[in-house]
């Protein structure tokens, strides 16, 4: 008769396991509602051992947040292929995949959780926003953005965040509609900015020149024309 021997995890391997367990629990409930005891039980270890790897829940939350932030930032990476509208739509689908999978944790992060307000947390949130900002600039092929363009992109990123938070509270609007609506919002914000600035007008024309007949920007134009007629 043989007896199974549990393999001893190395320090970094155990840390990564605890981060993964915490992320799974935070995906179902707000981090405020998850105790160290629950994390320890889910990981199959004792409470004191959790504290051996992390000084407290806050440090574990920040470590989990760092991994989640890296995951979320990667959702904004998109090949430079096809129309801009199509690229943004694919990004929005991946973004809402994340929001859907990590709803309570995402909501706690943006609305206020155990680590919110700390310099580490704020830096992580800002890093995701900066990745999104730089990715959009790269797709527009702009290296030195004018003030109006920076305002447009950063305002749109804030709109995406707030829309996701509102959607999480009941999911009363079909997700696919919101994803398309946010892409339409980017084009609409660009059009408003172009009405005041020639440089933005040229940028808007560049955005639209490769848009296919069935693309999201073309769809928005058709909807606006129908409203005006």
């Amino acid at each position: 008769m043989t007896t199974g021997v549990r393999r001893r995890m190395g320090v970094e391997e155990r840390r990564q396991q605890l981060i993964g367990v915490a992320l799974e629990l935070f995906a179902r409930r707000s981090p405020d509602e998850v105790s160290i005891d629950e994390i320890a039980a889910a990981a199959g270890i004792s409470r004191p051992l959790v504290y051996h790897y992390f000084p407290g829940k806050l440090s574990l939350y920040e470590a989990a947040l760092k991994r989640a932030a890296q995951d979320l930032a990667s959702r904004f990476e998109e090949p430079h292929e096809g129309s801009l509208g199509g690229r943004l739509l694919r990004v929005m689908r991946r973004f809402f995949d994340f929001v859907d999978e990590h709803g309570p944790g995402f909501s706690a992060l943006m609305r206020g959780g155990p680590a919110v307000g700390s310099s580490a947390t704020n830096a992580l949130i800002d890093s995701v926003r900066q990745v999104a900002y730089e990715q959009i600039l790269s797709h527009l092929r702009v290296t030195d953005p004018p003030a109006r363009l920076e305002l447009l992109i950063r305002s749109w990123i804030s709109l995406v965040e707030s829309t996701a938070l509102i959607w999480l509270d009941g999911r009363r609007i079909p997700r696919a509609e919101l994803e398309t609506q946010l892409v339409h919002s980017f084009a609409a914000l660009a059009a408003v900015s172009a009405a005041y600035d020639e440089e933005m007008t040229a940028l808007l024309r560049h955005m639209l020149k490769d848009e296919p007949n069935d693309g999201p920007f073309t769809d928005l134009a058709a909807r606006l024309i129908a409203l005006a007629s």
Side-chain angles (χ1 to χ4, degrees):
M1 185 174 181
T2 58
T3 302
V5 178
R6 180 179 295 179
R7 183 176 64 85
R8 183 185 180 90
M9 288 189 181
V11 173
E12 186 57 28
E13 186 180 6
R14 178 66 78 183
R15 281 177 56 85
Q16 293 305 314
Q17 182 218 15
L18 288 170
I19 290 170
V21 166
L23 279 173
E24 288 181 13
L25 293 172
F26 295 159
R28 296 193 292 269
R29 298 190 350 256
S30 167
D32 282 328
E33 302 170 356
V34 178
S35 68
I36 288 293
D37 287 332
E38 288 180 87
I39 294 171
I45 62 176
S46 66
R47 175 189 176 97
L49 193 54
V50 175
Y51 285 112
H52 174 74
Y53 294 100
F54 294 96
K57 179 177 168 180
L58 179 59
S59 63
L60 176 54
Y61 178 81
E62 288 182 343
L65 175 60
K66 182 176 181 180
R67 183 189 289 183
Q70 292 169 343
D71 181 6
L72 183 55
S74 71
R75 309 282 174 126
F76 288 92
E77 296 175 3
E78 173 67 26
H80 290 210
E81 300 171 359
S83 67
L84 179 63
R87 297 178 206 175
L88 286 178
L89 187 56
R90 289 190 290 273
V91 167
M92 284 297 93
R93 287 170 180 161
R94 290 196 299 272
F95 175 81
F96 271 89
D97 281 344
F98 180 93
V99 172
D100 215 355
E101 295 163 7
H102 303 281
F106 178 84
S107 181
L109 168 63
M110 296 302 175
R111 286 182 172 146
V116 171
S118 73
S119 58
T121 303
N122 291 337
L124 285 171
I125 297 170
D126 287 341
S127 71
V128 175
R129 291 170 177 154
Q130 187 63 23
V131 166
Y133 173 73
E134 292 172 358
Q135 280 291 319
I136 294 171
L137 282 181
S138 72
H139 284 281
L140 293 173
R141 301 186 185 280
V142 175
T143 55
D144 186 19
R148 289 184 189 275
L149 179 58
E150 181 174 1
L151 177 62
L152 159 65
I153 297 174
R154 295 197 185 279
S155 297
W156 183 73
I157 292 169
S158 295
L159 175 62
V160 169
E161 288 179 8
S162 59
T163 298
L165 285 171
I166 294 169
W167 177 76
L168 279 172
D169 188 14
R171 293 172 166 84
R172 292 172 292 173
I173 300 174
R175 191 185 119 177
E177 288 183 16
L178 276 187
E179 293 164 356
T180 301
Q181 184 177 314
L182 284 167
V183 176
H184 286 174
S185 295
F186 185 87
L189 288 170
V192 170
S193 187
Y196 292 87
D197 185 83
E198 291 184 1
E199 191 172 12
M200 289 300 298
T201 300
L203 184 62
L204 180 63
R205 287 174 178 157
H206 172 71
M207 284 170 48
L208 298 175
K209 71 181 180 68
D210 295 324
E211 183 72 9
N213 292 334
D214 59 349
F217 290 168
T218 304
D219 176 52
L220 173 62
R223 289 172 183 270
L224 292 175
I225 291 171
L227 281 174
S229 62

